[in-house]
Amino acid sequence: MQWHRLIAALGLFAPASALLRFGCAGLTVQRLDPLVNPGMKPSTHLHQIIGGDSFNASMPQGTHDLVSRSTCTSCQFTEDFSNYWTAVLFYRAKNGTFKRVPQMAQAGMEGTQGGMVVYYMSDALFDTAQRSDVTAFKPGFRMLVGDSTFRNREQARKWRQLTYICMENQGTRAPESIGFPTRPCPGGIMANHRFPTCWDGRNLDSPNHQDHVAYPESGTFESGGPCPSTHPVRLPQILLETVWDTRAFNDPAGFVGGQQPFVWSNGDSTGYSNHADYLFGWEGDSLQRAMDGHTYVSAPMLTPQSIALQNRCKVPDVVNEDIDSSYQA
Ligand SMILES: *[C@@H]1O[C@H](CO)[C@@H](O)[C@H](O)[C@H]1NC(C)=O
Ligand SMILES: *[C@@H]1O[C@H](CO)[C@@H](O)[C@H](O)[C@H]1NC(C)=O
């Protein structure tokens, strides 16, 4: 990495590139969705949310400034007041009752209550050079990946980068499937959300929260696929990893004949409705500075906080319903 810094310092070559990887504790688990169901209390289904505590049922773009309205963040880096959320996983017992599946902290982040691991990258995860240019998101930027109404493989092909990993142990990262695993997973089920990485360069949002961004025209972000001419600006790839601790629900009787006992909070037992939402909320130019930092995982230009402080950042429960044993009130 040293030569990289030197060349940049000489001004010969200054690629915007880095990879950030950090933990975020759960901020709240509630039926709220300020992107798709703004103002609705409750929204259509339960979500697990991380990030800044300005999170609210309604967060109008243009007037709700996540940075100035937040007093804390559940993420490791104190500059990140963004919000990220996904659906919540439930176990359906044979007798028809439901139990919310707990979330598991990843290795090295033990003690983190709920939440996810977040990545921002310039190139594929395992490319330690991270050479490619990326442009950080702008204030007010938001997007949605996936479709909560999808229930079959044909539909889910559109989002081939939303996947599940049946974990043997904490280190398992392959194979990935686009539907729920159909066998018991000894290390839990990891849900992966890779957001689109090409931006139209103009719109911070779009009516379906998707049309202003796109996946690469060919190949993938990982393979260096080019952005389409309609969406020429290359963004960092955001990857969210959520590990659902299914270990208490691995009775083989639940997995007979291709069945599996898990259901997303939107009622989907196929897994094809995998989806996630993002509201950008990094302070000032901190994300661009971090992406320009030529670092891999470490981020000396950002200010980390302890897991205890991440766990302490919460928002009030404004929906007030049983979130542990019913996936839809
Ligand atoms: C949202 O804002 C209202 C009004 O300021 C506040 O009462 C509420 O606690 C906030 N939080 C959530 C999660 O809705
Ligand atoms: C249903 O099954 C679950 C899991 O086996 C059990 O914990 C629960 O007590 C049962 N509930 C009823 C009402 O039978």
Side-chain angles (χ1 to χ4, degrees), residues 145-146 150 153-164 176-179 192-194 197 214-223 225-226 237 272 274:
V145 65
F150 283 3
R153 183 171 291 274
E154 267 318 299
Q155 294 171 315
R157 259 186 233 290
K158 181 174 176 193
W159 305 112
R160 63 190 187 282
Q161 297 202 304
L162 303 177
T163 64
Y164 303 93
E176 297 180 60
S177 62
I178 57 169
N192 297 291
H193 296 92
R194 295 181 189 83
T197 50
Y215 281 131
E217 188 171 39
S218 58
T220 61
F221 179 83
E222 285 78 6
S223 69
Q237 177 158 85
Y272 298 128
N274 206 0

Side-chain angles (χ1 to χ4, degrees), residues 91 93-97 99:
Y91 165 76
K94 285 270 181 248
N95 62 17
T97 61
K99 258 195 160 78

Side-chain angles (χ1 to χ4, degrees), residues 76-249:
Q76 182 193 348
F77 292 122
T78 56
E79 291 86 353
D80 186 12
F81 300 105
S82 305
N83 288 122
Y84 315 75
W85 63 91
T86 80
V88 172
L89 199 65
F90 281 83
Y91 165 76
R92 179 165 37 202
K94 285 270 181 248
N95 62 17
T97 61
F98 291 90
K99 258 195 160 78
R100 180 158 65 100
V101 178
Q103 286 159 252
M104 201 179 346
Q106 291 199 35
M109 297 175 185
E110 290 84 1
T112 307
Q113 292 161 8
M116 318 181 209
V117 170
V118 178
Y119 296 77
Y120 285 80
M121 37 191 152
S122 302
D123 284 304
L125 185 54
F126 297 108
D127 178 353
T128 54
Q130 299 287 310
R131 281 194 189 83
S132 304
D133 289 353
V134 288
T135 301
F137 310 94
K138 304 286 181 251
F141 183 93
R142 34 190 65 193
M143 61 179 160
L144 164 68
V145 65
D147 191 320
S148 72
T149 69
F150 283 3
R151 294 294 183 275
N152 65 59
R153 183 171 291 274
E154 267 318 299
Q155 294 171 315
R157 259 186 233 290
K158 181 174 176 193
W159 305 112
R160 63 190 187 282
Q161 297 202 304
L162 303 177
T163 64
Y164 303 93
I165 297 171
C166 187
M167 311 271 283
E168 291 304 325
N169 55 56
Q170 289 244 359
T172 310
R173 291 295 182 277
E176 297 180 60
S177 62
I178 57 169
F180 280 138
T182 52
R183 65 181 177 90
C185 303
I189 295 174
M190 178 181 275
N192 297 291
H193 296 92
R194 295 181 189 83
F195 284 81
T197 50
C198 302
W199 178 42
D200 71 10
R202 290 188 306 276
N203 298 296
L204 299 172
D205 194 5
S206 47
N208 64 2
H209 314 295
Q210 300 185 329
D211 289 346
H212 58 312
V213 289
Y215 281 131
E217 188 171 39
S218 58
T220 61
F221 179 83
E222 285 78 6
S223 69
C227 282
S229 59
T230 50
H231 297 76
V233 181
R234 196 163 180 278
L235 301 165
Q237 177 158 85
I238 297 178
L239 163 62
L240 307 179
E241 292 177 340
T242 310
V243 185
W244 297 96
D245 187 357
T246 55
R247 290 174 299 178
F249 311 108

Side-chain angles (χ1 to χ4, degrees), residues 195-320:
F195 284 81
T197 50
C198 302
W199 178 42
D200 71 10
R202 290 188 306 276
N203 298 296
L204 299 172
D205 194 5
S206 47
N208 64 2
H209 314 295
Q210 300 185 329
D211 289 346
H212 58 312
V213 289
Y215 281 131
E217 188 171 39
S218 58
T220 61
F221 179 83
E222 285 78 6
S223 69
C227 282
S229 59
T230 50
H231 297 76
V233 181
R234 196 163 180 278
L235 301 165
Q237 177 158 85
I238 297 178
L239 163 62
L240 307 179
E241 292 177 340
T242 310
V243 185
W244 297 96
D245 187 357
T246 55
R247 290 174 299 178
F249 311 108
N250 278 346
D251 180 351
F255 295 84
V256 176
Q259 297 291 300
Q260 62 79 42
F262 300 105
V263 56
W264 278 126
S265 47
N266 60 3
D268 172 29
S269 57
T270 66
Y272 298 128
S273 74
N274 206 0
H275 64 283
D277 301 66
Y278 174 61
L279 304 190
F280 169 83
W282 285 75
E283 202 170 18
D285 64 350
S286 56
L287 179 61
Q288 186 69 62
R289 276 190 293 110
M291 298 312 295
D292 289 353
H294 314 299
T295 57
Y296 190 74
V297 180
S298 75
M301 69 295 288
L302 298 175
T303 310
Q305 63 177 344
S306 68
I307 288 172
L309 285 174
Q310 293 174 49
N311 286 338
R312 209 172 296 161
C313 188
K314 299 287 176 213
V315 298
D317 182 356
V318 297
V319 176
N320 296 312

